[in-house]
Amino acid sequence: EDQVTQSPEALRLQEGESSSLNCSYTVSGLRGLFWYRQDPGKGPEFLFTLYSAGEEKEKERLKATLTKKESFLHITAPKPEDSATYLCAVTSGTYKYIFGTGTRLKVLA
Amino acid sequence: GAVVSQHPSWVICKSGTSVKIECRSLDFQATTMFWYRQFPKQSLMLMATSNEGSKATYEQGVEKDKFLINHASLTLSTLTVTSAHPEDSSFYICSASESGDYNEQFFGPGTRLTVL
């Protein structure tokens, strides 16, 4: 059964304290892995798409990487405005997303 | 680019009434639209997938007669919650994809439904 697991469930960082969020997946034939950011009471905001192992993408303080088993979302020198829930999703044999449960990130000033 | 809107952003209704939620892709044509439901502090649960001009495909356990989905054009999909009950209270989010294959989905801002 296709499955996506995100860790940690929650993370508190001091402003400027870099860290990484993990998204482990078990799918039969990965077609795409997606990272989203979701603020409370809002819909998810698209961040990155990764298609193949070894691929990396960056946007401001965020960098996403992909291996054959997992993806990492690296946050460099985070700011309080980076506080949100970060969601990972994958697609395999169909185009439906399989979501992880998310990592709730809190960055303290 | 890739903006998806939803209307209304929140709605309160009485038990037994029906509520319609609209989802629009504002700057692209969405071949496929998806409807999700999200409970507090939980991830998104896919309810159904709709392709323009076709009947929606519902996920297991989702009542198609209760959650009516119409995808009449490449920019508009609607979700109607019929005979709403308090247990239908939730956060409903739509997403849209240009081609519906393995491309990214763009999400709307969500609609908070409260059934009294």
Side-chain angles (χ1 to χ4, degrees):
Chain A
E1 183 184 342
D2 296 343
Q3 197 168 6
V4 177
T5 303
Q6 289 188 247
S7 62
E9 189 174 312
L11 180 63
R12 292 168 69 93
L13 300 173
Q14 291 294 323
E15 185 173 3
E17 180 186 1
S18 302
S19 188
S20 296
L21 312 182
N22 178 266
C23 172
S24 297
Y25 61 90
T26 306
V27 296
S28 52
L30 180 71
R31 298 300 186 105
L33 185 142
F34 309 89
W35 282 99
Y36 289 84
R37 168 196 170 124
Q38 186 176 27
D39 291 298
K42 304 282 183 63
E45 174 190 345
F46 173 73
L47 294 175
F48 302 109
T49 305
L50 300 167
Y51 290 109
S52 57
E55 192 174 359
E56 298 183 354
K57 288 192 176 174
E58 287 188 68
K59 178 181 179 181
E60 297 180 354
R61 295 179 292 281
L62 300 177
K63 179 180 177 180
T65 62
L66 180 65
T67 72
K68 289 186 178 180
K69 294 183 179 181
E70 59 191 349
S71 176
F72 290 94
L73 183 66
H74 307 277
I75 304 178
T76 302
K79 298 181 178 181
E81 53 262 41
D82 294 321
S83 298
T85 295
Y86 291 84
L87 297 168
C88 168
V90 301
T91 58
S92 58
T94 73
Y95 49 78
K96 292 191 295 186
Y97 275 14
I98 302 167
F99 272 101
T101 52
T103 293
R104 296 192 305 278
L105 173 66
K106 178 72 173 177
V107 181
L108 305 172
Chain B
V3 179
V4 177
S5 70
Q6 273 184 252
H7 178 80
S9 56
W10 60 269
V11 57
I12 301 173
C13 69
K14 292 183 179 179
S15 186
T17 61
S18 294
V19 174
K20 180 184 285 188
I21 302 170
E22 290 188 351
C23 176
R24 294 181 184 272
S25 57
L26 299 184
D27 53 2
F28 67 100
Q29 293 189 324
T31 305
T32 307
M33 286 185 166
F34 304 83
W35 286 95
Y36 294 84
R37 185 172 178 176
Q38 187 175 34
F39 293 102
K41 296 191 176 182
Q42 294 189 23
S43 195
L44 285 75
M45 181 189 80
L46 180 64
M47 299 174 65
T49 303
S50 72
N51 290 292
E52 185 264 340
S54 303
K55 287 185 178 180
T57 302
Y58 291 81
E59 294 300 299
Q60 192 171 11
V62 178
E63 299 175 60
K64 62 180 180 181
D65 294 329
K66 180 167 190 61
F67 299 99
L68 301 180
I69 292 171
N70 183 275
H71 192 164
S73 76
L74 286 172
T75 59
L76 173 65
S77 177
T78 60
L79 167 68
T80 301
V81 183
T82 62
S83 186
H85 291 284
E87 56 265 30
D88 298 323
S89 298
S90 189
F91 192 52
Y92 292 89
I93 309 175
C94 73
S95 71
S97 174
E98 277 190 271
S99 59
D101 49 20
Y102 306 108
N103 290 335
E104 48 273 341
Q105 297 176 23
F106 297 98
F107 287 82
T111 297
R112 172 75 57 194
L113 170 63
T114 302
V115 184
L116 302 177

